[in-house]
């Protein structure tokens, strides 16, 4: 069962879950809105690199260009970037997290990759931002682009 806002606050108070740079106003009824950092990576065109299920990011890292967001980053229609959360998230061994889309962005045609945050994890959460609309999508550091839901293991 997913954890409610009151339980999330209790987990944070008891250090079972921690987030750097947490704004308590971003704790929702059953989730925590997460902010994007100022760093995104975009794939270079036609790199010729072949990947498979055993490939790692290190295998393709050279085919990405890293951008530091100053004012805003514009994501063209039907394109994507790899980003990471601004927050460092730490989850104890008794809980699991699921990073998901924010509904308000899905309605605009913008989605993020869904991922599991394993018990005991600590670090930034990487995610893919995909603009599936016919419009440019701009975002800046600190924009809330995804959310984290928590559950007891």
């Amino acid at each position: 069962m997913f954890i409610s806002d009151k339980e999330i606050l209790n987990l944070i108070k008891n250090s079972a879950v921690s987030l750097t740079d947490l704004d308590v106003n971003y704790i929702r009824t059953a989730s925590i809105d997460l902010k994007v950092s100022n760093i995104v990576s975009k794939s270079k065109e036609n790199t010729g690199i072949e990947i498979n299920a055993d490939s790692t990011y290190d295998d393709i890292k050279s085919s990405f260009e890293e951008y530091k967001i100053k004012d805003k980053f514009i994501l063209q229609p039907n394109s994507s970037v790899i980003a990471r959360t601004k927050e460092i998230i730490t989850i104890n061994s008794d809980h699991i997290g699921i990073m998901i889309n924010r509904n308000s962005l899905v309605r605009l045609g913008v989605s993020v990759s869904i991922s599991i945050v394993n018990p005991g994890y600590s670090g930034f959460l990487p995610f893919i931002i995909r603009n599936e609309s016919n419009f440019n999508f701009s975002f800046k550091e600190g924009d809330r682009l995804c959310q984290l839901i928590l559950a007891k293991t």
Side-chain angles (χ1 to χ4, degrees):
M1 181 158 72
F2 296 121
I3 294 175
S4 72
D5 54 347
K6 290 180 179 86
E7 293 171 285
I8 291 169
L9 287 167
N10 193 40
L11 288 173
I12 291 168
K13 180 181 174 185
N14 295 323
S15 301
V17 172
S18 68
L19 291 91
T20 59
D21 197 36
L22 174 66
D23 182 336
V24 292
N25 295 315
Y26 292 170
I27 297 175
R28 303 295 181 200
T29 305
S31 67
I32 306 167
D33 286 347
L34 300 177
K35 300 174 292 232
V36 67
S37 76
N38 69 332
I39 299 170
V40 296
S41 298
K42 187 166 177 60
S43 179
K44 298 174 187 173
E45 297 293 323
N46 301 319
T47 61
I49 296 174
E50 183 177 322
I51 60 173
N52 59 48
D54 297 322
S55 298
T56 66
Y57 182 71
D58 287 338
D59 297 331
I60 61 170
K61 191 174 184 176
S62 65
S63 69
F64 283 86
E65 292 182 57
E66 189 172 278
Y67 297 90
K68 286 199 176 188
I69 301 171
K70 295 185 195 267
D71 295 322
K72 65 181 175 180
F73 186 87
I74 298 175
L75 188 57
Q76 302 287 323
N78 300 306
S79 63
S80 59
V81 292
I82 297 175
R84 69 177 194 193
T85 58
K86 187 172 182 177
E87 302 87 356
I88 296 173
I89 291 106
T90 302
I91 298 178
N92 73 3
S93 59
D94 295 332
H95 295 86
I96 190 167
I98 304 171
M99 187 171 55
I100 60 172
N101 291 298
R102 291 192 66 228
N103 290 334
S104 58
L105 294 177
V106 171
R107 287 191 288 269
L108 298 174
V110 177
S111 61
V112 301
S113 53
I114 297 171
S115 62
I116 298 292
V117 184
N118 287 314
Y121 179 83
S122 183
F124 297 105
L125 297 178
F127 60 99
I128 296 171
I129 305 168
R130 176 92 181 135
N131 181 2
E132 300 176 67
S133 77
N134 293 322
F135 309 100
N136 287 337
F137 173 68
S138 67
F139 60 93
K140 61 187 180 313
E141 177 185 7
D143 280 351
R144 297 174 296 143
L145 299 185
C146 55
Q147 57 187 330
L148 180 69
I149 55 177
L150 297 166
K152 187 140 178 68
T153 55

